[in-house]
Amino acid sequence: MGPTITRRRLLAGIAGTVGVAGTAGAAAWAGGAFDARLVAPNGGLVARTEAARRRAGSRTVSATLNPRPVTLDLGGPTVSTWGYADSGSGPLIRARAGDLLRVEVTNSLPVSTSVHWHGIALRNDMDGVPGLTQDPIPAGGRHTYEFTAPDPGTYFYHPHSGVQLDRALYGVLVIDDPDESGRYDEEWVVVLDDWVDGTGRTPDDVLASLQSMGGHGDMNGRSGMNHGDMGGMPMGDMSGMTMDGMETMVSPLLGGAGDVAYPHYLINGRIPAAPATMTGRPGQRVRIRLVNAASDTGFRVALGGHRLTVTHTDGFPVAPTVTDALVLGMGERADVTVDLGDGVFPLVAAAEGKAGQALALVRTGPGGTPPSAVRPAELDRRVLVTGALDGADAVTLDRRKPDRVHRLVLGGAMMPYRWTINGATFDKSEPLLVRQGERVRLEFANQTTMFHPMHLHGHTFAVIGGGARKDTVIVTPNQTVTVDFDADNPGQWMTHCHNIYHAETGMMINLAYEA
Ligand code: C2O
Ligand code: CU
């Protein structure tokens, strides 16, 4: 048996410093008493790894973020929520690979928060996980994140605090490639989201409702639903279905598709009745950076009248692949290029397995506006999931036998509502241990009837099969997805489902480097 390191002991190390951080001021977390058997998030090894990332001639890119209560106009409905900006997503932060990012966060929320830089292989103490890599940023507090972004690509940022992601607390981070050949004329950033906050319930209400299921309120229809082998009720012919209120949520492609029926689905912060419009000229080639910032919704994306050429997923290049539509799980990104036709075209993100869709318009010439419920035929032609793509040769991991294999059995149940990895919720889990320099294999074995987009912090893995390099990958019911990565970024790294309700109720584990 390896060393027994409980999360409680991991956290004991920082318990003494939590009080110290209660006032405004930069990173107060000292982490001095961190379990000596693990690499400390702010220790010398992390600092040396960071120093090796610096590139000669790199710049410092500064940005500020002010999470705060905001009122957003979704294109008709206005909602009170928390955001980084007064319109939709937070500021687009853009730097070149090798640049140093310096982001000052001033927390004007009534609660503590944090900022996680999703997909970036960054220094561990800047990863933004309260209780593991830093103290929470208290209400009224400040915190400065400073890190080198080593790899070009499409990333995003969001809190790692409760279910705050399900508000407007997210923004896109683009790391440009200094050597980019740039074979496109225009670039659009397209952010997909599922929206509930300010429509009569907050994400915290949604979580409370999921957790109190079993007999009351709008969750009546869910009694007896079971996503795994851990609830009390047997799975009958209802398995694979999930319900919020009266809506049944199941996808032929993904299985159980979500736990929450959202009143709105958004592209760039707009409902379909008042869509965002992107303009171009016929014949132009556009690179679209697609980000699924939703909390409980996979989206099936297509542009009416066009084919999409997928060039990247989760920042990294793939063998360019032509498709009619693609599905993005929560936390996944894809870059696609399209050659624009002449007219007005619907860019649709259909909520996979749910009722509803998000819409934007692409306009290159005169033409009427399609109805908000338009369903381009492309949505039902060739559909791909990004985990099945072939990695580009340039980013292929060399063949090597794994030094370490961790199997992560994904489990859970609706009654009570809890989600697990290897039978344990996060608070009861033991860290998965790895060592610097190892080739590590993770096997995500889904024993539930829902899909889970599994995300690893601080690394990009290769999906065994096509070899696409990714940081988030969809695992469908009864499927095992195997991924390999090199343990080259020492620290403590969250590994979790990017369904925020699953993560928050337990489907999360620490992947820890041994000292
Ligand atoms: Cu975007 Cu821990 O996640
Ligand atoms: Cu999940």
Side-chain angles (χ1 to χ4, degrees), residues 42 68 93 110 166 171 210 360 376 444 465:
N42 60 350
R68 59 187 187 269
I93 300 178
D166 208 7
L210 290 168
F444 298 112

Side-chain angles (χ1 to χ4, degrees), residues 152-214:
T154 304
Y155 302 94
F156 76 127
Y157 58 89
H158 61 77
H160 226 278
S161 302
V163 291
Q164 291 179 16
L165 168 65
D166 208 7
R167 311 222 182 199
L169 293 167
Y170 55 77
V172 176
L173 171 59
V174 172
I175 305 299
D176 286 307
D177 186 349
D179 308 315
E180 174 76 57
S181 47
R183 283 183 297 253
Y184 49 90
D185 307 303
E186 294 274 349
E187 182 196 283
W188 300 334
V189 173
V190 168
V191 183
L192 316 175
D193 195 14
D194 46 14
W195 192 270
V196 64
D197 197 27
T199 65
R201 47 182 188 163
T202 66
D204 293 301
D205 295 334
V206 171
L207 177 63
S209 170
L210 290 168
Q211 289 179 311
S212 68
M213 272 183 324

Side-chain angles (χ1 to χ4, degrees), residues 41 77 100 134 180 192 223 229 277 313 402 414 446 450:
L100 186 71
Q134 67 169 90
E180 174 76 57
L192 316 175
S223 304
D229 52 5
T277 300
T313 182
M414 298 302 284
N446 185 353
M450 289 192 77

Side-chain angles (χ1 to χ4, degrees), residues 259 296 330 410-411 417 419 446 448 450-454 475 496-503 507:
D259 295 329
D296 179 74
M330 300 78 84
L410 312 179
Y417 188 83
W419 296 93
N446 185 353
T448 77
M450 289 192 77
F451 86 98
H452 306 283
M454 296 304 297
V475 189
H496 63 89
C497 176
H498 221 278
N499 181 312
I500 196 64
Y501 297 97
H502 295 187
M507 195 177 265

Side-chain angles (χ1 to χ4, degrees), residues 226 229-234 413 415-416:
N226 189 333
D229 52 5
M230 304 180 69
M233 317 287 267
M415 288 181 65

Side-chain angles (χ1 to χ4, degrees), residues 316 387 395-408 434 437-444 454 456 458-473 480-488 511 513:
F316 281 65
V395 299
T396 305
L397 270 197
D398 58 319
R399 276 180 181 281
R400 186 173 150 193
K401 196 170 156 300
D403 303 299
R404 174 106 57 166
V405 180
H406 285 298
R407 186 171 178 80
L408 290 80
V434 302
E438 287 180 337
R439 170 66 55 87
V440 180
R441 171 164 290 183
L442 303 180
E443 298 170 349
F444 298 112
M454 296 304 297
L456 169 65
H459 303 77
T460 292
F461 47 68
V463 182
I464 299 304
R469 298 292 301 274
K470 289 180 67 61
D471 54 66
T472 310
V473 66
T480 296
V481 171
T482 302
V483 305
D484 281 1
F485 68 94
D486 286 325
D488 57 6
L511 184 132
Y513 281 60

